[in-house]
Amino acid sequence: DIQMTQSPSSLSASVGDRVTITCRASQRISRYLNWYQQKPGKAPKLLIYAASTLQSGVPSRFSGSVSVADFTLTITSLQREDFATYYCQQSYNAPFTFGPGTTVDVK
Amino acid sequence: VQMVESGGGVVQPGRSLRLSCVGSGFIFSSYGIHWVRQAPGKGLEWVAGIGADGSKKYYGDSVKGRFSVSRDNSLDTLFLEIDSLRVDDTAVYYCARENYLDGLYCDYWGQGTPVIVSS
């Protein structure tokens, strides 16, 4: 099975900050990587699929990129509603494993 | 598009449970569906998936042999049968619609149904 890691596990930031979260797979997964946002007590919400494609309706301050084996989720100017936990997920093959999550909280 | 799970509750260890997920607002029989669970205070765990026509089924390692996913496209409903429930199966269970464009992803999720395994 493909193992996913995320860093950092948590970070504190302020409104307006640029935030970067990194995800890495235990083997090559091409661009088969998704990013989800989850707020407490709510279902996950798809932000980005295929490493860099923004899901319809998601603000353009969210972006995804890949460099060699590292996938990155960037929030260019953090908004109040962005404080949440972010998960990456590989869709290269089943089981479609998630990363452990990165919690973004208020500094 | 809506996904609505049901069937969760408090169950004793060793018993069985069947969860349901009804999809609406789209052609249910054209989409694969996945189950994802989240234990209290923990991250997301992908559990199972089933193809649009029900012929392909996939399971996470921790649930193979105990979980069985199926669907009835005439009812727009997905099922997850859980046998020999264990305390560590306690979680909120989400169903999510699969979509595919340059890769597989889950674009619509239900609100989740909680399963508590306790004696």
Side-chain angles (χ1 to χ4, degrees):
Chain A
D1 296 356
I2 299 173
Q3 309 302 316
M4 306 301 294
T5 58
Q6 285 183 236
S7 60
S9 57
S10 65
L11 65 90
S12 298
S14 302
V15 172
D17 284 354
R18 180 184 180 94
V19 169
T20 299
I21 299 168
T22 298
C23 176
R24 181 175 290 183
S26 60
Q27 67 180 70
R28 184 181 175 275
I29 59 170
S30 186
R31 297 178 61 87
Y32 296 107
L33 191 284
N34 308 317
W35 289 99
Y36 299 88
Q37 175 194 67
Q38 188 182 33
K39 297 181 180 178
K42 300 293 187 183
K45 173 188 173 184
L46 176 68
L47 297 176
I48 287 168
Y49 61 91
S52 61
T53 303
L54 200 65
Q55 169 68 348
S56 175
V58 174
S60 59
R61 63 180 179 273
F62 290 93
S63 65
S65 63
V66 55
S67 174
V68 193
D70 285 345
F71 297 86
T72 300
L73 173 69
T74 300
I75 311 171
T76 51
S77 178
L78 195 71
Q79 300 301 300
R80 199 169 306 277
E81 59 269 27
D82 301 335
F83 292 103
T85 300
Y86 295 85
Y87 295 92
C88 61
Q89 180 201 28
Q90 64 84 13
S91 61
Y92 185 76
N93 59 22
F96 302 114
T97 41
F98 287 90
T102 295
T103 299
V104 178
D105 61 21
V106 178
K107 191 172 189 178
Chain B
V1 174
Q2 263 202 316
M3 310 290 289
V4 179
E5 306 93 337
S6 62
V10 180
V11 190
Q12 291 180 326
R15 303 296 291 266
S16 298
L17 190 67
R18 186 173 83 161
L19 306 181
S20 301
C21 167
V22 176
S24 61
F26 64 103
I27 301 172
F28 188 82
S29 59
S30 296
Y31 290 83
I33 310 287
H34 295 251
W35 286 100
V36 174
R37 70 181 179 181
Q38 187 169 36
K42 303 296 184 183
L44 302 174
E45 179 186 9
W46 183 87
V47 170
I50 186 168
D53 64 2
S55 61
K56 289 187 179 179
K57 301 178 183 182
Y58 313 88
Y59 297 96
D61 289 347
S62 65
V63 306
K64 266 181 198 170
R66 292 192 306 119
F67 285 33
S68 177
V69 62
S70 61
R71 64 191 296 161
D72 185 337
N73 285 341
S74 69
L75 299 176
D76 293 346
T77 302
L78 175 79
F79 302 102
L80 184 69
E81 300 267 3
I82 309 175
D83 293 331
S84 304
L85 275 156
R86 308 191 307 216
V87 172
D88 63 359
D89 292 322
T90 294
V92 174
Y93 286 73
Y94 297 99
C95 64
R97 188 183 81 165
E98 172 191 306
N99 212 332
Y100 192 97
L101 179 63
D102 299 326
L104 176 158
Y105 53 94
C106 290
D107 57 355
Y108 288 95
W109 296 63
Q111 82 290 348
T113 187
V115 172
I116 300 170
V117 184
S118 172
S119 53

